[in-house]
Amino acid sequence: MQISNYIQQSFQVNYAYRVFFSDHIFEPTNTQLAAWLREQASPHYRKRLLVVADDGVWQSHPYLQAQVSAYFQAVKEVELAPEIIVIPGGEACKNDEALFFRLVDAIDKYAIDRHSFVIGIGGGSVLDLVGFAAAVSHRGVRHIRIPTTVLSQNDSGVGVKNGINFKGKKNFLGAFAPPAAVFNDAHFLTTLDARDWRAGMVEAVKVALIKDAAFFEWMEGAATALAARDMDAMQKLVFRCAELHMQHIGGGGDPFESGSSRPLDFGHWSAHKLEQLTNFSLRHGEAVSIGIALDSVYANLIGWLDKPSMERILHLLQQMGLPLYHPLLDMQAGATSPVIKGLEEFREHLGGRLTICLLKAIGQGAEINDMDVTLLQQAGDILKQLTVVSQ
Amino acid sequence: MQISNYIQQSFQVNYAYRVFFSDHIFEPTNTQLAAWLREQASPHYRKRLLVVADDGVWQSHPYLQAQVSAYFQAVKEVELAPEIIVIPGGEACKNDEALFFRLVDAIDKYAIDRHSFVIGIGGGSVLDLVGFAAAVSHRGVRHIRIPTTVLSQNDSGVGVKNGINFKGKKNFLGAFAPPAAVFNDAHFLTTLDARDWRAGMVEAVKVALIKDAAFFEWMEGAATALAARDMDAMQKLVFRCAELHMQHIGGGGDPFESGSSRPLDFGHWSAHKLEQLTNFSLRHGEAVSIGIALDSVYANLIGWLDKPSMERILHLLQQMGLPLYHPLLDMQAGATSPVIKGLEEFREHLGGRLTICLLKAIGQGAEINDMDVTLLQQAGDILKQLTVVSQ
Ligand SMILES: NC(=O)c1ccc[n+]([C@@H]2O[C@H](COP(=O)([O-])OP(=O)(O)OC[C@H]3O[C@@H](n4cnc5c(N)ncnc54)[C@H](O)[C@@H]3O)[C@@H](O)[C@H]2O)c1
Ligand SMILES: NC(=O)c1ccc[n+]([C@@H]2O[C@H](COP(=O)([O-])OP(=O)(O)OC[C@H]3O[C@@H](n4cnc5c(N)ncnc54)[C@H](O)[C@@H]3O)[C@@H](O)[C@H]2O)c1
Ligand SMILES: [Zn+2]
Ligand SMILES: [Zn+2]
C-alpha cells in the first residue's frame, strides 16, 4: 500500500434560497408560503415547524397568534409544534444567553430535525438569534425568515449571517447559515415606529451609493413619499435594496466573507463606533446615516467625490429624516473625536491594514487602504456646521 | 422601478484543505507545519495562534509543553498566544458547557480573528469541542487539527464535522466547519492505551467493507502486525482509511449531509444505541465492531452477503482484538434486545423511513429501507453462539 505526504481535500457546497415579496402572508387566501412548504414536502416524512416570534410584532398585530397557527395547521404536509415561542424583540434578545438555550431546548423538545424548519418572525435581532440557534442545532437545522422591519427586509434578513452578542461583544458568536427561504410581508412595516421606518432606509442609500446610481436617483424622486410612509414607494425601495445585497453576496465571490473586502460596510466603520459610544441609543441606521455623511464629505475632501454629488447625498439623507451629525464627532478637549479615533481600533481589528469602501461617484464605490485622521476631523466639523446652519 | 414576486439567490462556497502525514511534527527539524504556516502568511498581518491541548496527550508526552511553544515561537510569521490551554481529554470535555465558553473567551481575549488560527491537539473529543468553539466565534475562526488517536487520525479529525453534547444529547450542538489543515503525527499513537489503539481500527474495516475490497484484503494480511502495534502497518491503515473517508466527503456530492444517505455510518445504527445503553463504557470503535458484526450476519441472513465473506469479516475483527457481541444483544425477558429495539427509534429519528447501508459483498455497500427485527434478533443470537463457542 502506498502512502504519501498529504491528501488534498476540496469540494463545493451549493446554496440556494428565494426571497419572496408579498403582504398579509398569513391570511388564509395568501398561498405563497403554503405552496412553498408543499414544494418541500417529502413522501416519507411530515416535516415539523417551530415558530419563534418577536413580541413587538405580536403586540402590534395581536391577531397573528391565531392566524399563524391556523395558517400552518391548514397545511397538511407539515406539522406545527404545539407551542409558538414569543420572545422579546430588539437587541436585548441577542444579549440573553438563556434565551439562546431556550430555543435550542425547544428544537430538541419538538423534534425539529435537519428535515424540519425553524421559522423566525421579527426584526433583525430576533432573526439573528433564531437563525443562530437553528444553525448550531443538529449541526444545522434549516430556518425560514419572516422579517418585519425595513432593515431586516432589505438587508439583514435576506443575507447569510446570523449571530448573538457575547459578553457585550456584538455578534461575537454566530454562523454563516443561509436561510431556507425568506418571506417579506410589507404589511408588517405599517406598525413600525418612525425611527425604525426611517433608519431602515439608510441601507438602501448605502448600497445605491456604491453600486447603483439609478436607484439613488429614484430615491431622490421618491424621498418625500418615503418620508411620508408611502407603502408603494417603500416596497420598491425594499425590493431593490434586497436585490442589490443579494447580488453582492451571491455574485461577489466571497459570500462567507473569508477575504477582507466589505463594500456593503460602506459608512459602517464609524457607525459601529457611534452605536457603541452611545450605548446603542442610536439606531443602527441612524448611525450609518452619520457614517455615510462623514465618509462622503471625506471623499470630497480627498478629491474622490465632486461637491454636487456630496451635497445630493447629504440632502437625500436629510429628506429621509436621517441624521448627518452627532456631537461625538466633535473634538474633545482639543483631541480628535472619539468616533474618529475608532479608525485606529478598526485598523487593528482588520489586522493592521485598512480596507475601506469610499465613493468615487454616486453609484461607484472603491477601496482605500488609508484615511487621514486630520481630514476626517475636518469632515466632522463640516457636518457640524451644516447641521447647525440648517437648524 | 420593477419589482417581482421573488428573488432567487444561489451561490457556491469552495472548501479546500490538506491532511498531512508525518511524525514528531513539533521537533525543530520537522518543517512541515512551519512551512504550511509560512505559506498562509500575509504581508499586512501577523496571524495569531491559540493552541488548545488534550491533557491525556500532554501527560503521555510531557516534553510537548516546551516543544510546542518553542516550535511556534520559531515561526516569525505568526504570533503564539501567551498561554497554551490544556483541557481534559475524552468524551467528558464535550459535556462541559463552561469549557466551551472558556475557549470562546480565550479566542476573544487573545484576539484570534478570522485571519488567525485555533489549533487543537488531541483525540476526537477535544477536536470536536475546539472545532466547534472556533466555528462559532466571529462567525467562523479557522482551526487546525492535530489528531492524536487512531480514530481521530483516520476518521473524525479528517472530516468536516464538529460538535459538543447538550443535556446528554450526543453532538446536539455543532457545525459543519472544515479545518484549515490537519497534521497527523504517527508518533502520538504509540502512547494510546490498548483499547483506543484497537477501537480506532474499526473505522478502517468499515470503510473498506463498503468501498474497497483490496484494502480489506490488505488488513487481513496485516492483522497480526496491527494487533501487535506495528507502527508501519498502522500508518498505512490510517492513511488509506483517511483517504477513503475524505474521498467520500469530497466526492460524494453531499459533504454537509443535507440528504439522508450515510454510507459512512455503516454498522453505526446499533453502535450508537450500544454506546448509550452502556453509558459510553464501550469505546465507539468497540460498539461499531459489534454493529458491523450484527449487520454482516444480517446481510447474510437476507441473502445479500455470502457466508465465506461474512466469516472473513468476523474473523478480521476478532484478529484485531475487537468484540463481536455484547449481552445487550440478547432477548430480555422474552422480548427483543434493547439494542435491536433501537432500530425503531432510529427510523423515527430519520423521519419515518430507514436508510441503512448494508453489504452486498466485501467492498460493496448498498442501501436498504427496511430491516426485519426478528431476523436481526436471529443475527444477534448467532453472534452470541459464535462468541461463546470461540471462548
Ligand atoms: N445578520 C445580518 O446580516 C445583519 C445585518 C445588519 C443588522 N443586523 C442586526 O439586526 C439587528 C437590528 O434589527 P432591526 O433594525 O430589524 O431591529 P430590531 O430587530 O432590533 O427591532 C427593533 C424593534 O422593533 C420591534 N418590531 C419589529 N418588527 C416590528 C413591527 N413590524 N411593528 C412594530 N414593531 C416591530 C421589535 O420588537 C423591536 O422592539 C441588530 O442586532 C443588527 O446587528 C444583522
Ligand atoms: N467529528 C466527527 O466527524 C466524529 C466522527 C467520529 C467520532 N467523533 C467523536 O470523537 C470522539 C472520540 O474520539 P477518540 O476516539 O479520538 O477518543 P477521545 O478523544 O475521547 O480520547 C480518548 C482518551 O485518549 C486520550 N488520548 C488522546 N490522545 C492520546 C495519546 N496520543 N496518547 C495517550 N492518550 C491519548 C484522551 O485524553 C482521552 O482520555 C467522540 O466524541 C466521537 O463523537 C467525531
Ligand atoms: Zn448596516
Ligand atoms: Zn464511527
Side-chain angles (χ1 to χ4, degrees):
Chain A
M1 184 163 355
Q2 285 287 89
I3 75 176
S4 52
N5 280 341
Y6 68 86
I7 302 170
Q8 175 72 47
Q9 177 64 293
S10 77
F11 57 84
Q12 295 184 324
V13 179
N14 298 314
Y15 296 92
Y17 61 92
R18 286 180 180 179
V19 176
F20 293 91
F21 296 83
S22 176
D23 53 26
H24 298 91
I25 56 169
F26 291 114
E27 286 202 352
T29 51
N30 189 324
T31 57
Q32 194 178 59
L33 176 49
W36 185 88
L37 286 170
R38 290 201 176 97
E39 271 171 37
Q40 313 302 312
S42 136
H44 306 294
Y45 182 50
R46 203 148 159 248
K47 287 168 195 277
R48 284 181 280 265
L49 308 181
L50 173 66
V51 175
V52 183
D54 182 320
D55 73 351
V57 180
W58 246 228
Q59 276 166 33
S60 305
H61 304 263
Y63 57 89
L64 277 176
Q65 174 75 23
Q67 201 180 58
V68 167
S69 300
Y71 190 89
F72 288 124
Q73 272 153 12
V75 185
K76 296 299 167 215
E77 291 81 355
V78 296
E79 183 182 331
L80 183 65
E83 178 192 7
I84 289 181
I85 301 181
V86 183
I87 62 174
E91 192 69 27
C93 75
K94 291 175 64 176
N95 287 319
D96 186 348
E97 211 176 274
L99 199 50
F100 167 77
F101 283 113
R102 196 178 139 207
L103 297 187
V104 170
D105 252 335
I107 289 170
D108 176 26
K109 181 170 162 195
Y110 298 122
I112 306 301
D113 56 31
R114 288 167 55 85
H115 303 286
S116 296
F117 297 106
V118 177
I119 304 181
I121 306 177
S125 300
V126 164
L127 298 183
D128 273 6
L129 165 66
V130 172
F132 182 54
V136 295
S137 295
H138 292 299
R139 298 202 187 95
V141 163
R142 291 190 289 167
H143 68 285
I144 295 169
R145 299 198 196 122
I146 302 183
T148 60
T149 62
V150 175
L151 179 88
S152 56
Q153 291 195 0
N154 72 14
D155 177 350
S156 81
V158 305
V160 295
K161 295 195 244 183
N162 305 281
I164 58 175
N165 309 329
F166 175 66
K167 296 203 176 166
K169 302 241 164 187
K170 185 133 165 104
N171 297 326
F172 191 85
L173 290 176
F176 286 91
V182 181
F183 293 87
N184 272 342
D185 180 337
H187 178 64
F188 284 122
L189 308 183
T190 59
T191 55
L192 284 177
D193 79 34
R195 285 179 73 187
D196 284 312
W197 173 279
R198 290 193 299 249
M201 293 192 288
V202 85
E203 305 288 357
V205 177
K206 169 201 78 180
V207 75
L209 282 173
I210 58 173
K211 290 182 178 280
D212 184 351
F215 182 38
F216 185 86
E217 278 162 37
W218 176 86
M219 281 187 277
E220 291 182 307
T224 323
L226 287 165
R229 299 189 72 138
D230 179 278
M231 279 307 296
D232 182 60
M234 181 55 98
Q235 284 182 64
K236 288 178 171 146
L237 176 143
V238 165
F239 183 89
R240 182 63 182 148
C241 180
E243 188 172 46
L244 287 165
H245 276 88
M246 288 170 70
Q247 281 167 0
H248 180 81
I249 293 167
D254 189 20
F256 289 175
E257 302 183 0
S258 49
S260 48
S261 168
R262 301 266 187 292
L264 294 179
D265 281 352
F266 168 57
H268 278 58
W269 71 266
S270 55
H272 288 311
K273 189 74 196 169
L274 259 169
E275 285 183 88
Q276 192 192 316
L277 288 171
T278 60
N279 251 314
F280 294 88
S281 67
L282 276 185
R283 295 283 199 278
H284 175 71
E286 292 166 346
V288 175
S289 177
I290 296 166
I292 289 177
L294 183 70
D295 284 355
S296 299
V297 174
Y298 181 86
N300 173 248
L301 290 177
I302 63 167
W304 277 33
L305 186 70
D306 62 41
K307 200 159 181 217
S309 299
M310 176 195 87
E311 285 167 348
R312 283 171 64 194
I313 297 168
L314 303 182
H315 184 61
L316 176 60
L317 291 170
Q318 278 182 313
Q319 276 194 297
M320 287 178 162
L322 288 160
L324 304 181
Y325 163 77
H326 188 281
L328 284 164
L329 290 183
D330 295 354
M331 294 186 76
Q332 312 270 309
T336 311
S337 138
V339 175
I340 293 169
K341 271 190 192 155
L343 188 70
E344 195 40 46
E345 270 167 53
F346 185 60
R347 186 200 308 274
E348 279 165 29
H349 168 76
L350 292 182
R353 189 186 192 218
L354 282 175
T355 306
I356 281 182
C357 180
L358 280 188
L359 300 180
K360 291 255 177 190
I362 286 173
Q364 194 194 338
E367 268 174 12
I368 197 164
N369 298 111
D370 230 320
M371 285 181 95
D372 182 286
V373 168
T374 315
L375 276 183
L376 267 171
Q377 186 62 63
Q378 202 177 317
D381 295 345
I382 290 171
L383 287 173
K384 178 176 190 169
Q385 272 183 298
L386 274 177
T387 318
V388 174
V389 169
S390 75
Q391 265 163 3
Chain B
M1 180 160 1
Q2 286 286 89
I3 75 175
S4 52
N5 281 341
Y6 69 86
I7 302 170
Q8 175 72 48
Q9 177 65 292
S10 75
F11 57 84
Q12 296 183 325
V13 180
N14 298 315
Y15 296 92
Y17 60 92
R18 286 180 179 178
V19 176
F20 294 90
F21 296 83
S22 175
D23 54 27
H24 298 91
I25 56 170
F26 291 115
E27 286 203 351
T29 51
N30 189 324
T31 57
Q32 194 179 58
L33 175 48
W36 185 88
L37 286 169
R38 290 202 176 98
E39 271 170 38
Q40 314 301 312
S42 137
H44 306 295
Y45 182 50
R46 200 146 160 250
K47 287 167 195 277
R48 283 182 282 265
L49 308 181
L50 174 65
V51 175
V52 183
D54 182 321
D55 71 353
V57 180
W58 245 228
Q59 275 166 32
S60 306
H61 302 264
Y63 56 90
L64 278 175
Q65 174 76 22
Q67 199 181 58
V68 168
S69 301
Y71 190 89
F72 288 123
Q73 272 154 12
V75 184
K76 295 300 166 215
E77 290 81 356
V78 296
E79 184 182 330
L80 182 66
E83 178 191 7
I84 289 181
I85 300 182
V86 183
I87 62 174
E91 192 69 27
C93 75
K94 291 174 65 177
N95 288 318
D96 186 348
E97 212 177 272
L99 198 50
F100 167 78
F101 283 112
R102 196 178 139 208
L103 297 188
V104 170
D105 252 335
I107 289 170
D108 177 25
K109 180 168 161 198
Y110 298 122
I112 307 300
D113 57 30
R114 287 167 54 84
H115 303 286
S116 296
F117 297 106
V118 177
I119 304 180
I121 306 178
S125 301
V126 164
L127 298 183
D128 273 7
L129 165 66
V130 172
F132 182 54
V136 295
S137 295
H138 292 299
R139 297 201 187 93
V141 164
R142 292 190 288 166
H143 69 284
I144 295 168
R145 300 198 196 122
I146 302 183
T148 60
T149 62
V150 175
L151 179 88
S152 56
Q153 291 195 359
N154 72 14
D155 177 349
S156 81
V158 305
V160 295
K161 297 195 243 182
N162 305 281
I164 59 175
N165 309 328
F166 176 65
K167 294 200 177 171
K169 302 243 165 185
K170 184 130 168 106
N171 297 326
F172 191 85
L173 291 175
F176 286 90
V182 181
F183 294 86
N184 272 343
D185 181 337
H187 178 65
F188 284 122
L189 307 183
T190 59
T191 53
L192 284 178
D193 78 34
R195 286 180 71 187
D196 285 313
W197 173 279
R198 289 193 298 248
M201 292 192 288
V202 84
E203 306 288 357
V205 176
K206 168 200 79 179
V207 75
L209 282 173
I210 57 174
K211 289 181 180 278
D212 185 350
F215 183 36
F216 185 86
E217 279 162 35
W218 176 86
M219 281 188 278
E220 291 183 307
T224 322
L226 288 165
R229 300 189 71 140
D230 179 279
M231 280 307 296
D232 182 60
M234 181 55 99
Q235 284 182 65
K236 287 177 172 146
L237 176 144
V238 165
F239 183 88
R240 182 63 183 151
C241 180
E243 188 173 45
L244 286 166
H245 276 88
M246 290 171 70
Q247 281 167 359
H248 180 81
I249 293 167
D254 188 19
F256 290 175
E257 301 183 1
S258 50
S260 48
S261 168
R262 301 267 188 293
L264 293 179
D265 282 353
F266 168 57
H268 278 59
W269 71 267
S270 55
H272 288 312
K273 190 72 196 170
L274 258 169
E275 285 182 89
Q276 195 191 313
L277 289 172
T278 59
N279 252 315
F280 294 88
S281 67
L282 275 185
R283 296 282 200 279
H284 176 70
E286 292 166 346
V288 175
S289 177
I290 296 167
I292 288 177
L294 184 70
D295 284 356
S296 299
V297 174
Y298 181 87
N300 174 248
L301 290 176
I302 62 168
W304 276 32
L305 187 69
D306 62 41
K307 197 155 182 222
S309 298
M310 177 196 88
E311 284 168 348
R312 282 171 65 193
I313 297 169
L314 303 183
H315 185 61
L316 176 59
L317 293 170
Q318 277 183 313
Q319 277 194 296
M320 287 177 161
L322 288 160
L324 305 182
Y325 163 78
H326 189 281
L328 284 164
L329 291 183
D330 296 353
M331 295 185 77
Q332 314 269 308
T336 311
S337 138
V339 175
I340 293 169
K341 271 192 191 152
L343 189 70
E344 195 38 47
E345 270 167 53
F346 185 59
R347 186 200 310 274
E348 277 165 31
H349 168 76
L350 292 181
R353 189 188 193 218
L354 283 175
T355 306
I356 281 183
C357 181
L358 280 188
L359 300 181
K360 291 257 180 191
I362 286 173
Q364 194 195 338
E367 268 174 13
I368 197 164
N369 297 113
D370 229 322
M371 283 181 94
D372 182 283
V373 169
T374 315
L375 276 185
L376 267 172
Q377 186 62 63
Q378 202 177 317
D381 296 344
I382 290 172
L383 287 173
K384 179 178 188 169
Q385 271 184 297
L386 273 177
T387 317
V388 173
V389 169
S390 76
Q391 266 165 4

